[in-house]
Amino acid sequence: MDLRPAGVGGEGLQVGAVEESIKGEGGQKKRRQEEDEEETTSTKKQMTDHGVKVATHYNSLQEVGLAVRSRSRIFFMRNFNNWLKSVLIGEILEQVQDAGARQISVLDLGCGKGGDLLKWRRGGISHLVCADIAAVSVEQCQSRYEEMKKKSRINEKIFSAQFITTDCAKEVLSEKLDDPELMFDICSCQFVYHYSFESEQKADMMLRNACERLKPGGFFIGTTPDAFELVKRLEASDCLSFGNEVFKVTFQSKGSYPLFGCQYHFSLEDVVNVPEFLVYFPLLEHMAKRYNMHLVSKQRFSEFFEKKVKNEHHRSLMMKMMALEPFPTEDGGQPASDSSREYNHAKEHYGKAEVKVPLGTLSRSEWEAASIYLVFVFQKKA
Ligand SMILES: C[S@@+](CC[C@H](N)C(=O)[O-])C[C@H]1O[C@@H](n2cnc3c(N)ncnc32)[C@H](O)[C@@H]1O
């Protein structure tokens, strides 16, 4: 199968102009301060209930089985995101093991319903702490873990685990650990960090929780929307929103983007429908230095995909996880979208002598959604 999501290898990113518009012109500190103060007052109201909104939203999401999931319009995109997390987690675990760690402890910050439990099991870790603001999600995560333990092979040692329901952008997590001495090899924060960029205090608390208990040489890894990409698309739109048949992003204004509290509404099929905040990455990188963290890598999903797919092992995992949609569909199956325009990019490649069929692809709309995100890896200085 030839692996080629829509847009991969296409247009380059021009973030320079966008970066300027996020940072503001001329560095007029005083004006910035005044704006920040205004912003703080105007966002105060949102601040009181944003965590509640997020928790309520994620608590209300129904856990659905594979049969329902496979009929979802974004089935392949979700698998693609999951593949990407698997590759990232697998590679970081390998690095930790290569550095000599035998008993690996992990913090899953914003664990949700436990979508990554199997990845931690496969990685042979010893201990996992799962934390999330949404109580129902944490309960489901814990039951999934118990179920996993029950069904494990007799001589397989499953990691021990602790489950914590808390707002990680407000509360100090280390005070809630069963083992007050516990230090982590890895903190994984997948599709979560952007909820904390509501204010400097919240973004910093989330970062503190991610990093303060990391061992020297430990990793803070994650995925989050790329602010440059979001602003680039917003600026290209003739209104305050952009999107397609699977997702929609709506800002409240454009032209100026505060460093914290720059809220937009994100909806994605039946999975996400909640306010989020721009994460201006250079600022996160700067803030992380307070915790002795340095940035190892930051890549857009497209870059990450292009690199990793060259590896045979990652390629075969991609097939196993059905992370791309076969084009044309096999055995009379239905494509994720009925609109043939969604597959124009695949049609262009189909039929070329060097291309193996079926192609592996994502529909254009799914790729436009997935390609908003970036993957980051920070490491604590030894
Ligand atoms: C898109 S889900 C991702 C879940 C999981 N990490 C995954 O990749 O499957 C985002 C999660 O972040 C959690 N979250 C958002 N804000 C949070 C906060 N302040 N503290 C803890 N968890 C938070 C939500 O409750 C939700 O479970």
Side-chain angles (χ1 to χ4, degrees):
M1 193 189 264
D2 200 51
L3 306 173
R4 208 176 293 257
V8 164
E11 80 264 22
L13 274 174
Q14 281 134 32
V15 296
V18 175
E19 180 163 9
E20 270 316 302
S21 67
I22 293 179
K23 285 198 299 196
E25 286 161 7
Q28 292 164 1
K29 224 172 159 190
K30 187 157 176 283
R31 208 192 76 209
R32 171 78 55 74
Q33 260 174 8
E34 284 164 6
E35 278 174 4
D36 283 354
E37 275 159 25
E38 259 175 46
E39 195 58 41
T40 315
T41 331
S42 71
T43 49
K44 241 180 200 145
K45 246 200 175 136
Q46 301 166 8
M47 275 161 68
T48 46
D49 63 353
H50 182 259
V52 177
K53 256 190 219 163
V54 172
T56 310
H57 169 70
Y58 281 102
N59 277 332
S60 69
L61 288 183
Q62 296 296 318
E63 180 75 330
V64 294
L66 180 64
V68 174
R69 260 203 322 276
S70 64
R71 288 196 296 273
S72 159
R73 169 67 180 88
I74 54 167
F75 174 70
F76 293 103
M77 181 191 128
R78 293 182 78 178
N79 293 348
F80 178 84
N81 289 347
N82 216 8
W83 167 81
L84 189 141
K85 287 194 291 176
S86 294
V87 172
L88 172 68
I89 286 173
E91 288 195 343
I92 293 297
L93 281 168
E94 225 175 273
Q95 284 194 46
V96 171
Q97 279 151 355
D98 288 351
R102 290 294 160 260
Q103 302 277 307
I104 298 176
S105 295
V106 173
L107 169 62
D108 193 337
L109 198 62
C111 59
K113 298 180 190 329
D116 293 337
L117 285 172
L118 278 176
K119 302 177 186 70
W120 302 124
R121 176 190 189 174
R122 240 180 266 130
I125 68 164
S126 298
H127 187 65
L128 179 68
V129 174
C130 291
D132 200 286
I133 195 172
V136 177
S137 299
V138 176
E139 271 165 36
Q140 289 181 358
C141 180
Q142 183 158 9
S143 343
R144 247 164 130 167
Y145 165 75
E146 303 295 350
E147 199 60 21
M148 188 171 96
K149 247 183 17 179
K150 237 194 285 166
K151 290 186 178 157
S152 64
R153 294 179 299 274
I154 295 167
N155 44 13
E156 183 186 8
K157 186 158 175 359
I158 299 280
F159 54 84
S160 53
Q162 184 188 354
F163 299 86
I164 304 173
T165 301
T166 190
D167 185 341
C168 301
K170 273 192 183 162
E171 307 287 330
V172 179
L173 202 56
S174 57
E175 292 169 359
K176 300 176 193 292
L177 296 175
D178 287 342
D179 172 3
E181 306 289 306
L182 184 62
M183 297 290 282
F184 298 104
D185 296 278
I186 300 169
C187 168
S188 171
C189 187
Q190 305 297 342
F191 301 102
V192 180
Y193 198 76
H194 40 290
Y195 295 110
S196 76
F197 246 68
E198 183 179 7
S199 67
E200 182 169 5
Q201 293 91 317
K202 287 191 170 194
D204 183 61
M205 181 56 83
M206 192 70 119
L207 199 54
R208 175 178 168 185
N209 284 329
C211 304
E212 77 170 347
R213 284 311 186 96
L214 281 178
K215 297 175 186 169
F219 291 96
F220 169 38
I221 60 173
T223 40
T224 196
D226 181 358
F228 294 141
E229 186 60 26
L230 287 170
V231 170
K232 188 176 89 169
R233 294 192 198 186
L234 173 66
E235 294 284 343
S237 155
D238 53 12
C239 59
L240 290 177
S241 56
F242 59 87
N244 56 39
E245 61 184 60
V246 305
F247 83 101
K248 187 172 180 188
V249 172
T250 308
F251 278 77
Q252 292 161 343
S253 63
K254 63 180 178 181
S256 149
Y257 306 92
L259 296 176
F260 296 99
C262 189
Q263 186 173 317
Y264 57 91
H265 192 93
F266 185 65
S267 59
L268 173 69
E269 274 288 291
D270 41 4
V271 194
V272 187
N273 188 10
V274 83
E276 301 183 352
F277 301 94
L278 279 188
V279 177
Y280 178 50
F281 207 87
L283 178 58
L284 171 60
E285 196 183 337
H286 176 75
M287 289 166 66
K289 290 187 182 141
R290 283 183 211 156
Y291 298 97
N292 226 4
M293 305 295 296
H294 73 276
L295 183 65
V296 176
S297 70
K298 173 181 78 94
Q299 295 168 78
R300 296 278 309 282
F301 273 23
S302 48
E303 294 171 70
F304 188 89
F305 165 78
E306 285 192 77
K307 270 190 210 149
K308 304 303 174 192
V309 79
K310 293 185 181 127
N311 174 307
E312 192 44 50
H313 172 69
H314 299 331
R315 264 176 99 90
S316 68
L317 184 65
M318 185 154 228
M319 306 278 192
K320 249 203 321 228
M321 294 179 77
M322 292 198 270
L324 292 178
E325 179 174 6
F327 179 89
T329 43
E330 294 163 309
D331 307 329
Q334 281 290 101
S337 171
D338 294 333
S339 161
S340 74
R341 276 181 319 168
E342 287 279 316
Y343 299 96
N344 279 345
H345 56 282
K347 278 184 223 151
E348 274 172 31
H349 294 284
Y350 183 72
K352 285 186 185 163
E354 72 281 9
V355 173
K356 283 191 219 145
V357 286
L359 293 165
T361 193
L362 284 182
S363 66
R364 178 156 296 280
S365 293
E366 285 171 284
W367 182 248
E368 280 174 7
S371 57
I372 286 174
Y373 291 84
L374 59 78
V375 135
F376 62 81
V377 177
F378 286 94
Q379 188 172 25
K380 194 167 231 176
K381 289 185 186 140

